[in-house]
Each structure stands twice: as structure tokens, then as C-alpha cells.
């Protein structure tokens, strides 16, 4: 049995008075890739954002239940959300490099987190991060050029390098390939397999093939509609990816993966 690095215990998220997602229990295993799948609006991004306290930045969002990160309660008032986001990084759907040089895109995070090394140490960290994100060879001769001048797939790998630079334990990726062409998508998927040696990955994807190709564990979320027409996201089941795609326990999962809805 794998060690869990993140545990969600009966987690519900409200936006104002509306219950967006309810009663989620799941564990994220260390050095594995966990994929969140399910139809649009079922709360995948909402739960992902709980894991690095990004919902704190959304006015009206409230998180109930308990989320632990290692032995820490993520929502303990003593936890510093900025420190949480250094240890649990995020990569978004649209590549969003800073309008700065490639070098500065990587150096920025460590610097604001109090990097104490010399210029040479920073050069090493920049190189290591870009190498880990499999983009060093493409950018090593143009570190002073703008990150925005890269292709979409390169920008996304730059954003992954930027996330790696603060040496997180977990990297969250919300539909990281949905703005990319198929070749860039495959290069990011290959990269994920390398990254899981050193990091724990949680990815949201609407692409079931991507989940089945990349993930160790897959969580299926769905929207439930109550008698009054209210829609609430639920975690239907989480299991080994091979089990989810070959013999899921819940009918709703079976219907979704066989394309009957969603
Ligand atoms: N910032 C927000 N403010 C209000 N409602 C939101 C916000 N973000 C998401 N929601 C609502 O929460 C529900 C879950 O959304 P989301 O987590 O984005 O789903 P998914 O990522 O699975 O498509 C949806 O009903 C959505 O409209
Ligand atoms: Mg989403």
C-alpha cells in the first residue's frame, strides 16, 4: 500500500450559499499520478484548488471538512497559504508564463521564497528546473528571451519548470494539455511519467485516454441533481486506473467511461 501525502476527509466546498461539491473522501498517493475525470461542472477544479488553498483567493468560497498534507492540517489557521503553495504547486490550463525572460520565470519563485544562494547557485537551479521539465535543450541558448515567445507546448513546460523551481512535493495540474496540440500533449504526458519519480501529481483532465495513459489512480466525479433541481458535484469512486476503465464499481462510472453521457 502506498503512503498518502494528501487526505481529503468529507470535504465540501460552497461558493456563497451554493454547495458546489459535497462529501469528498479521497487519498492522494505519494509518487503517483492521480487523475480527476468527470463531466464539466462536477467540481474537479474546485477540489484541486482546495489542495493548495487557491480557493482562499476566491471571494465567497468556503471549504468544509478536513484536508491533511502529510501530518499537517492544511486549513489550520497556523498554516501559511503561501508556504502551502510553495510545497504544493499548480499548473493551469492555459500556459501563463510571466511577461519576463525565461530565466526570470524560473528564478522569480525561489527568490520570493527567500532563496539565499549566489548567482551561480541560481543559475544551477534554473538549469535543473528546466532540465526536469524537459525543456532545457530548447531554451538554453535564449534564457534572456521572453517566455511568451515560446510555443504553447514549450510555455506549458516552462510553467512546469517554474512550479518545480520551488521544490514542491506535489504538483497540481488543471487540464494542462487542453490548450495544446497532440504532439505537445504527448510530450507533457511523457514528462509526467518522469516527474512522478520525484513528485506527486494530481491532474484534472477531460480526456479519458489521457487519464488511462498516464494515471495510476483515477477519481470519477459526477453531478447529482436533487428533487429541487440543485446540482452538486460528488466523487463517485476512486480506484486504480485499470479498474476504473475495465470494471468500475458504480454504474455512473461505467456509463461515463463508455461514453453514454458527459
Ligand atoms: N469562482 C466560482 N464562483 C462561483 N461558482 C463557481 C466558481 N468556480 C466554480 N464554480 C461552480 O462550482 C461548480 C464546480 O465547478 P468546477 O470545479 O469548475 O468544475 P469542473 O472543474 O469539474 O468543470 C460549478 O457549478 C461551477 O459553476
Ligand atoms: Mg475545471
Amino acid at each position: 500500500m502506498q503512503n498518502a501525502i494528501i487526505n481529503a476527509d468529507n470535504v465540501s466546498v460552497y461558493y456563497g450559499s451554493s454547495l458546489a461539491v459535497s462529501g469528498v473522501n479521497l487519498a492522494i498517493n505519494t509518487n503517483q499520478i492521480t487523475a480527476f475525470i468527470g463531466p464539466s461542472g462536477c467540481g474537479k477544479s474546485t477540489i484541486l484548488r482546495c489542495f493548495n488553498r487557491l480557493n482562499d483567493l476566491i471571494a465567497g468560497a468556503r471549504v468544509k471538512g478536513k484536508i491533511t498534507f502529510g501530518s499537517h492540517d492544511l486549513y489550520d489557521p497556523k498554516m501559511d497559504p503561501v508556504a502551502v503553495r510553495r510545497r504544493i504547486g499548480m499548473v493551469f490550463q492555459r500556459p501563463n508564463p510571466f511577461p519576463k525572460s525565461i530565466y526570470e520565470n524560473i528564478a522569480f519563485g525561489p527568490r520570493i521564497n527567500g532563496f539565499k544562494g549566489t548567482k551561480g547557485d541560481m543559475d544551477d537551479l534554473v538549469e535543473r528546473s528546466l532540465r526536469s521539465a524537459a525543456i532545457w535543450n530548447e531554451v538554453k541558448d535564449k534564457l534572456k528571451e521572453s517566455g511568451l515567445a515560446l510555443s504553447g507546448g514549450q510555455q506549458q513546460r516552462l510553467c512546469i519548470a517554474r512550479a518545480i523551481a520551488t521544490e514542491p512535493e506535489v504538483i497540481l495540474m488543471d487540464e494542462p494539455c487542453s490548450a495544446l496540440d497532440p504532439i505537445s500533449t504527448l510530450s507533457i504526458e511523457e514528462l509526467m511519467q518522469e516527474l512522478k519519480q520525484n513528485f506527486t501529481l494530481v491532474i484534472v483532465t477531460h480526456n479519458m485516454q489521457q487519464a488511462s495513459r498516464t494515471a495510476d489512480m483515477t477519481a470519477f466525479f459526477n453531478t447529482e441533481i436533487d428533487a429541487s433541481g440543485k446540482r452538486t458535484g460528488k466523487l463517485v469512486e476512486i480506484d486504480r486506473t485499470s479498474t476504473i476503465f475495465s470494471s468500475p464499481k458504480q454504474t455512473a462510472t461505467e456509463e461515463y467511461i463508455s461514453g453514454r453521457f458527459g
Side-chain angles (χ1 to χ4, degrees):
M1 193 53 199
Q2 284 274 333
N3 279 344
I5 187 163
I6 293 175
N7 261 293
D9 181 6
N10 198 22
V11 172
S12 300
V13 183
Y14 292 81
Y15 294 107
S17 59
S18 137
L19 176 58
V21 47
S22 157
V24 172
N25 294 295
L26 58 76
I28 303 297
N29 294 332
T30 309
N31 294 109
Q32 285 196 351
I33 302 175
T34 301
F36 290 180
I37 63 168
S40 182
C42 63
K44 305 178 298 293
S45 297
T46 296
I47 291 296
L48 196 73
R49 287 195 296 262
C50 288
F51 293 165
N52 74 344
R53 300 212 22 192
L54 267 193
N55 290 320
D56 290 19
L57 307 176
I58 298 178
R62 275 178 301 134
V63 178
K64 295 264 172 76
K66 187 168 184 187
I67 303 176
T68 52
F69 171 49
S71 58
H72 305 284
D73 178 349
L74 258 191
Y75 285 80
D76 186 308
K78 290 199 285 287
M79 284 297 262
D80 171 6
V82 175
V84 168
R85 292 180 205 126
R86 186 190 69 69
R87 298 180 66 185
I88 306 179
M90 175 79 95
V91 173
F92 298 91
Q93 182 167 354
R94 302 226 146 253
N96 59 348
F98 302 131
K100 290 172 185 282
S101 70
I102 292 166
Y103 186 99
E104 284 302 319
N105 262 277
I106 309 301
F108 182 77
R111 219 177 267 138
I112 60 166
N113 280 293
F115 185 81
K116 295 276 184 340
T118 62
K119 164 84 169 71
D121 295 334
M122 183 62 93
D123 291 350
D124 289 344
L125 177 61
V126 168
E127 175 170 343
R128 215 164 12 159
S129 304
L130 291 166
R131 279 189 190 281
S132 302
I135 191 178
W136 171 250
N137 287 333
E138 289 153 76
V139 301
K140 62 175 192 273
D141 299 323
K142 48 179 177 182
L143 294 175
K144 290 194 171 131
E145 288 174 29
S146 171
L148 296 172
L150 298 169
S151 74
Q154 289 174 327
Q155 288 189 16
Q156 197 61 308
R157 279 179 284 137
L158 178 65
C159 292
I160 292 171
R162 180 176 68 184
I164 290 171
T166 61
E167 298 174 332
E169 283 127 278
V170 180
I171 304 174
L172 310 174
M173 299 186 176
D174 196 347
E175 305 205 19
C177 302
S178 65
L180 306 182
D181 62 74
I183 291 174
S184 306
T185 296
L186 283 180
S187 79
I188 302 268
E189 289 181 9
E190 278 171 21
L191 172 58
M192 288 176 190
Q193 298 305 319
E194 283 165 34
L195 292 176
K196 79 173 186 181
Q197 331 268 324
N198 297 313
F199 306 95
T200 300
L201 270 63
V202 187
I203 63 164
V204 171
T205 177
H206 63 254
N207 179 334
M208 284 190 271
Q209 283 75 33
Q210 178 163 77
S212 67
R213 281 193 299 260
T214 60
D216 300 288
M217 300 290 287
T218 295
F220 171 61
F221 290 78
N222 200 6
T223 306
E224 285 184 5
I225 307 176
D226 73 7
S228 65
K230 266 205 215 99
R231 305 168 73 85
T232 307
K234 294 266 166 106
L235 171 64
V236 176
E237 63 183 305
I238 176 166
D239 212 323
R240 289 214 180 104
T241 298
S242 54
T243 305
I244 290 289
F245 286 97
S246 64
S247 48
K249 295 187 181 57
Q250 303 299 325
T251 316
T253 313
E254 163 98 60
E255 288 181 351
Y256 185 75
I257 57 135
S258 61
R260 261 170 274 169
F261 76 95

